[in-house]
Amino acid sequence: MASESSSNAERAGEILVHLGNAGVDGMSLQALALALGDAKSATRRALVALSKRGFVEPAARYGHYRLGPAIFGLANRTTSVTELVRRYRPAVTEVAAITQQSSYLMVRAGFDAICVDMHEGTAFVQTLTGGIGGRVPLGIGPGTVSILTLLDDPLALSILDHNAPRFGQYNRADMAKVTRELDRARALGFSYDIGETYPDAGGVAVPIVSSRGNTAAAVSIAIPASLLTQKRAEEIAGVIRAAIGKCAPA
Amino acid sequence: MASESSSNAERAGEILVHLGNAGVDGMSLQALALALGDAKSATRRALVALSKRGFVEPAARYGHYRLGPAIFGLANRTTSVTELVRRYRPAVTEVAAITQQSSYLMVRAGFDAICVDMHEGTAFVQTLTGGIGGRVPLGIGPGTVSILTLLDDPLALSILDHNAPRFGQYNRADMAKVTRELDRARALGFSYDIGETYPDAGGVAVPIVSSRGNTAAAVSIAIPASLLTQKRAEEIAGVIRAAIGKCAPA
DNA sequence: ACATATATGCCGATTATTGGAACTCATCAT
DNA sequence: ATGATGAGTTCCAATAATCGGCATATATGT
């Protein structure tokens, strides 16, 4: 996949994202270069640049690289997110407890949504989002659609346009389908999905109107499609909204 | 301070480090440009590049930037560090409990050491390292010296050479003083410091010989200089070493 | 409402990056 | 233990990018 990496700093971010999905063993140079669509020499250069501050470090296997301690260290400094998690964790756990399903706290990160907190439910699909730290393109899944409702329309559309090439992997052949979901979510105040993203999987999400702007987030659940109807979705949305409401603004 | 930023990806890392020390309110563009020693236009360019993936996001104040959710998301994927913390946390807490002082788990990140775990003691100096995520140049403080003992001599020396300009801020006028500490630490198997880095502050550190190479780490404590003698340092080193030993290799 | 500082666009020159191929090294099989 | 294979690493000149500065419009905080 040729990614339009204009700046070199973007490439650095791209590398970090890819290594984040790699695990302890990391990735080899050529695997990274292939994923980025760049030459090995260019990839390596960025790699050593990131190594200088410890954002990347050599893995156990020869010539493999993985995320370094600098990332971990910085995580405790992302106060905007840590505060968000601390405040809304009660909602995430409560929603999971009531619905008996896995619940997630998703926040916007560029063109994607990232899962920053979750609570495993008793049943069914676990980690549709790939667990904490998992990235999903905005427009894929109800959680991300709810986040989009918090954004200005031109911004939301530009994001959808950017992500359109990736929709095919998720039964989103045409973008119109996603924009319809977005419109519905704006009207209802929540977003739901019955087997439209993943077969047999459904979801419900309620956006979090952040007290002090800028961070767009949502609380969502994953639930078997067989258990979900529009009426049930409304009920669940009410549960989520109530749980969010209990989390007082700092 | 003019930093020799050869690559552009380095600049990205530099920005992340600076923003990590900024807090929720983030930093203004000009403050960042000044800290990096670059033009505002170049700094802004890198900033928007990092924003595309959510590594950086606009803060509440207009024109201010802070760390974004992507950093938080990646932290759970730095398996090398999370495993290290999970394994040696018992040692950190035990050392703090026995010595009644703050204890730290430090790992190498490029030319610095980063505090990845800590346990506040009852007394005295808290957070000499700046808390979890805090960076300290390798060579400053016993924890970092112990880490240096895990490295090859040429590498350790090159790191010290790189950090030499920063030693002045910490009563390290000449590098010889640091190399002497390093030699002593190699000989003793641990490192200690009595009021040499910060007045009235002392510290003891024991390196962690990582089962599967690559990651260099150490467990250290901070203690009032008045309570520390070489004999006491040896005792404390024994405590730390014992605690580390209890943390069985995975 | 005024002043400050940002966001954004542009443009020429310098600079670093790019991509390829040769070299070196670690790993794997024998 | 040794050789063969497949990596990763280094070097190079040409290319393409970035850089830095400036001007304008905008948003903010006093």
Side-chain angles (χ1 to χ4, degrees):
Chain A
M1 312 305 165
S3 44
E4 65 283 7
S5 36
S6 45
S7 140
N8 198 354
E10 265 187 64
R11 195 156 313 208
E14 231 51 50
I15 288 178
L16 294 180
V17 170
H18 280 280
L19 289 184
N21 299 326
V24 223
D25 300 326
M27 292 178 71
S28 71
L29 176 61
Q30 78 166 8
L32 256 175
L34 185 74
L36 295 171
D38 288 321
K40 287 193 296 181
S41 53
T43 307
R44 199 189 75 88
R45 210 180 277 269
L47 237 19
V48 303
L50 288 171
S51 301
K52 289 199 175 178
R53 283 303 202 162
F55 291 98
V56 160
E57 69 178 6
R61 274 212 273 278
Y62 171 77
H64 283 53
Y65 301 88
R66 63 183 176 198
L67 294 179
I71 300 287
F72 182 93
L74 249 41
N76 291 72
R77 310 298 184 91
T78 62
T79 350
S80 63
V81 185
T82 53
E83 280 186 2
L84 194 79
V85 172
R86 193 181 321 127
R87 189 191 309 178
Y88 291 104
R89 169 159 295 184
V92 174
T93 57
E94 177 180 318
V95 168
I98 294 180
T99 65
Q100 299 277 63
Q101 306 293 341
S102 295
S103 63
Y104 310 91
L105 176 59
M106 312 287 290
V107 303
R108 178 168 103 92
F111 301 103
D112 303 326
I114 291 184
C115 174
V116 295
D117 199 14
M118 65 179 292
H119 197 95
E120 292 267 350
T122 57
F124 190 53
V125 210
Q126 65 282 32
T127 71
L128 276 186
T129 64
I132 292 182
R135 295 184 87 107
V136 183
L138 284 170
I140 301 302
T144 68
V145 173
S146 276
I147 287 179
L148 283 173
T149 64
L150 297 170
L151 274 41
D152 305 335
D153 229 63
L155 177 58
L157 287 180
S158 74
I159 290 175
L160 288 181
D161 193 55
H162 175 96
N163 287 342
R166 295 199 273 173
F167 286 171
Q169 314 167 13
Y170 299 91
N171 297 335
R172 288 291 184 285
D174 58 320
M175 201 171 76
K177 211 171 176 181
V178 182
T179 57
R180 268 198 300 274
E181 286 186 40
L182 178 55
D183 291 337
R184 186 181 62 183
R186 285 197 200 278
L188 293 175
F190 68 92
S191 167
Y192 69 98
D193 175 316
I194 307 180
E196 292 158 345
T197 302
Y198 302 94
D200 303 326
V204 184
V206 175
I208 294 179
V209 284
S210 66
S211 49
R212 39 189 173 194
N214 285 337
T215 36
V219 174
S220 69
I221 71 158
I223 189 172
S226 57
L227 297 181
L228 199 60
T229 62
Q230 175 169 353
K231 180 165 167 296
R232 180 75 184 123
E234 285 178 19
E235 296 171 5
I236 292 176
V239 169
I240 299 178
R241 192 177 297 109
I244 290 176
K246 291 178 189 170
C247 301
Chain B
M1 307 309 158
S3 44
E4 66 284 2
S5 40
S6 45
S7 140
N8 198 354
E10 262 185 67
R11 194 157 318 210
E14 232 49 54
I15 287 178
L16 294 180
V17 170
H18 281 279
L19 289 184
N21 299 326
V24 221
D25 300 326
M27 292 179 73
S28 72
L29 177 61
Q30 77 169 5
L32 254 177
L34 184 74
L36 295 171
D38 288 321
K40 286 195 293 185
S41 56
T43 306
R44 202 188 73 88
R45 229 192 297 271
L47 236 18
V48 303
L50 289 171
S51 301
K52 290 201 174 176
R53 283 304 202 162
F55 290 98
V56 159
E57 69 179 6
R61 274 211 273 278
Y62 173 76
H64 284 232
Y65 301 88
R66 64 184 175 196
L67 294 179
I71 300 287
F72 182 92
L74 249 40
N76 292 71
R77 310 299 184 90
T78 61
T79 349
S80 62
V81 184
T82 53
E83 279 187 1
L84 195 77
V85 172
R86 193 180 322 127
R87 189 190 311 179
Y88 291 103
R89 169 159 294 183
V92 174
T93 58
E94 177 179 317
V95 168
I98 293 180
T99 64
Q100 298 278 62
Q101 306 293 340
S102 296
S103 62
Y104 310 92
L105 176 59
M106 312 287 291
V107 305
R108 178 168 103 92
F111 300 103
D112 304 326
I114 290 184
C115 173
V116 295
D117 199 14
M118 65 179 291
H119 196 95
E120 292 267 349
T122 57
F124 190 54
V125 211
Q126 67 282 32
T127 70
L128 276 186
T129 63
I132 292 181
R135 295 184 87 107
V136 183
L138 284 170
I140 300 302
T144 69
V145 173
S146 275
I147 288 179
L148 283 173
T149 63
L150 296 169
L151 274 41
D152 303 336
D153 229 64
L155 176 58
L157 287 180
S158 73
I159 290 175
L160 288 180
D161 194 55
H162 175 96
N163 287 342
R166 295 199 272 175
F167 286 171
Q169 313 168 13
Y170 300 91
N171 298 334
R172 288 291 185 284
D174 57 321
M175 203 172 75
K177 210 170 175 183
V178 182
T179 57
R180 266 197 301 272
E181 286 186 40
L182 179 55
D183 290 337
R184 186 181 61 183
R186 285 196 200 278
L188 292 175
F190 68 93
S191 168
Y192 70 99
D193 174 317
I194 307 181
E196 292 158 345
T197 302
Y198 303 94
D200 302 327
V204 184
V206 176
I208 295 178
V209 284
S210 65
S211 49
R212 39 189 172 192
N214 285 337
T215 37
V219 173
S220 68
I221 70 159
I223 189 172
S226 57
L227 297 180
L228 199 61
T229 61
Q230 174 167 356
K231 181 165 167 296
R232 180 77 184 121
E234 285 179 20
E235 296 171 6
I236 293 176
V239 169
I240 299 177
R241 192 177 296 111
I244 290 175
K246 291 177 188 169
C247 302

